[in-house]
Amino acid sequence: MSQFPANLMPDEASPEWMNKGDNAWQLTAATLVGLQSVPGLVILYGSIVKKKWAVNSAFMALYAFASVLVCWVIWGYRMSFGDNLLPFVGLPNIALDEKFLLRKAFLGSFPNVTMVYFQFVFAAITLVLIAGALLGRMNFHAWMIFVPLWLTFSYTISAYSIWCPDGWLSKMGIIDFAGGYVIHVASGVSGFTAAYWVGPRSIKDRETFIPNNILSMLTGVGFVWLGWTGFNGGAPFVASIDASMAILNTNICTATSLLTWLILDIIFFKKPSVLGATQGIITGLVCITPGAGKITLLSHFIKR
């Protein structure tokens, strides 16, 4: 121990089991994911829709982020990662108890307080993604009710089942590196289902759906792209080579998807499209997420 600098020595605020580097990276990764929602998707949603829906669309994302945080610390986190209640959900309980927050998390070398924050931003962006299917469709008051209900009766179940070590799917060996099932499949299916039941937009609105601010749209999707560094890079729960691979794979896939969409726009519509490039970015980010830290085939091939 005497060989370590004083700032790396264990103390009351830094117990021996905590890795300061991993803890710092996990908090940074979580904040990057948070920036995807606020301001990323807030700006993207507010600018990609018609002007008459801009404020409502942006506010839906902002509300979801705040609402999920409050629900998460009161009952959501423990239902997703707490003591077993059923094979697919944990026992509802508050996650603000001092002793609980300062204990080592179920994964990684950092405390529960870091894990609560990290998992919150994932839960929040799932609801924000669902909002994207309901822009220009759903009453804001209905959205206010929908968010805590969906978090409680849908997200917690999938998160516990797949990500919690005690979940029934986790015990079966299901691997979801950074949210391909828990976040993207869940938000996609839920968004599609919600849009079906809420009903279509008017024919007039469907015929012309031009973004009200292209530059703001690009700013928003830029936050989403760079924020995904924390999304996939934080999934290994350690500042490691896996995290580095996940970050590089994420950016390569996203750039390739953007270029592919541009080429297809030129082939089929005779000109590149900023909206198409935006869709390409989102497609690439979502596509790579479930296996971002597992893709090493090309590097092994080149090495050989």
Side-chain angles (χ1 to χ4, degrees):
M1 288 291 186
S2 60
Q3 297 177 353
F4 287 98
N7 65 314
L8 294 181
M9 295 289 287
D11 55 33
E12 187 176 349
S14 301
E16 290 189 21
W17 50 258
M18 190 180 85
N19 184 300
K20 290 187 177 183
D22 291 346
N23 191 51
W25 166 240
Q26 216 62 35
L27 290 170
T28 302
T31 302
L32 287 170
V33 178
L35 288 171
Q36 290 182 281
S37 295
V38 181
L41 288 169
V42 171
I43 297 173
L44 180 61
Y45 287 172
S47 57
I48 203 170
V49 298
K50 290 187 172 184
K51 189 174 182 178
K52 64 179 180 179
W53 294 326
V55 174
N56 187 73
S57 298
F59 197 27
M60 285 177 69
L62 186 62
Y63 164 78
F65 192 82
S67 178
V68 168
L69 175 55
V70 175
C71 297
W72 191 246
V73 297
I74 295 177
W75 70 82
Y77 178 80
R78 300 294 281 268
M79 287 184 69
S80 302
F81 300 99
D83 298 328
N84 182 276
L85 176 63
L86 295 170
F88 53 84
V89 71
L91 183 69
N93 203 349
I94 194 166
L96 294 176
D97 177 74
E98 182 180 356
K99 291 183 178 179
F100 169 77
L101 289 177
L102 298 184
R103 289 203 303 263
K104 185 179 180 181
F106 65 93
L107 286 174
S109 299
F110 45 82
N112 274 325
V113 63
T114 300
M115 183 65 82
V116 170
Y117 176 56
F118 181 77
Q119 294 295 347
F120 146 65
V121 291
F122 280 83
I125 199 171
T126 308
L127 267 300
V128 176
L129 290 173
I130 294 174
L134 300 171
L135 304 181
R137 298 174 186 262
M138 194 172 193
N139 178 276
F140 189 81
H141 291 94
W143 176 246
M144 291 178 67
I145 299 171
F146 176 86
V147 169
L149 288 177
W150 191 90
L151 175 75
T152 303
F153 297 107
S154 183
Y155 185 85
T156 57
I157 292 173
S158 58
Y160 188 89
S161 298
I162 296 175
W163 279 344
C164 181
D166 294 328
W168 69 283
L169 289 175
S170 177
K171 290 181 178 179
M172 290 175 62
I174 297 295
I175 297 175
D176 182 4
F177 181 75
Y181 298 116
V182 177
I183 297 174
H184 296 140
V185 172
S187 62
V189 172
S190 297
F192 183 86
T193 305
Y196 173 81
W197 287 108
V198 170
R201 302 179 184 93
S202 66
I203 296 177
K204 180 181 178 181
D205 287 327
R206 279 180 283 166
E207 288 176 347
T208 56
F209 202 94
I210 302 172
N212 70 80
N213 192 316
I214 298 293
L215 292 179
S216 292
M217 181 184 74
L218 289 175
T219 301
V221 80
F223 272 107
V224 174
W225 183 346
L226 271 298
W228 223 282
T229 296
F231 201 105
N232 291 345
F237 298 104
V238 60
S240 65
I241 292 176
D242 282 345
S244 300
M245 286 296 298
I247 291 170
L248 181 61
N249 287 333
T250 298
N251 284 276
I252 291 174
C253 184
T254 306
T256 303
S257 180
L258 184 157
L259 296 176
T260 301
W261 205 293
L262 282 181
I263 292 170
L264 292 174
D265 273 341
I266 292 171
I267 292 173
F268 290 100
F269 302 107
K270 310 304 179 186
K271 62 180 180 179
S273 165
V274 175
L275 189 59
T278 300
Q279 292 171 323
I281 289 170
I282 302 299
T283 302
L285 291 168
V286 172
C287 178
I288 192 63
T289 293
K294 306 297 182 182
I295 300 174
T296 57
L297 180 62
L298 183 59
S299 61
H300 286 316
F301 177 77
I302 293 174
K303 184 178 180 181
R304 292 173 183 172

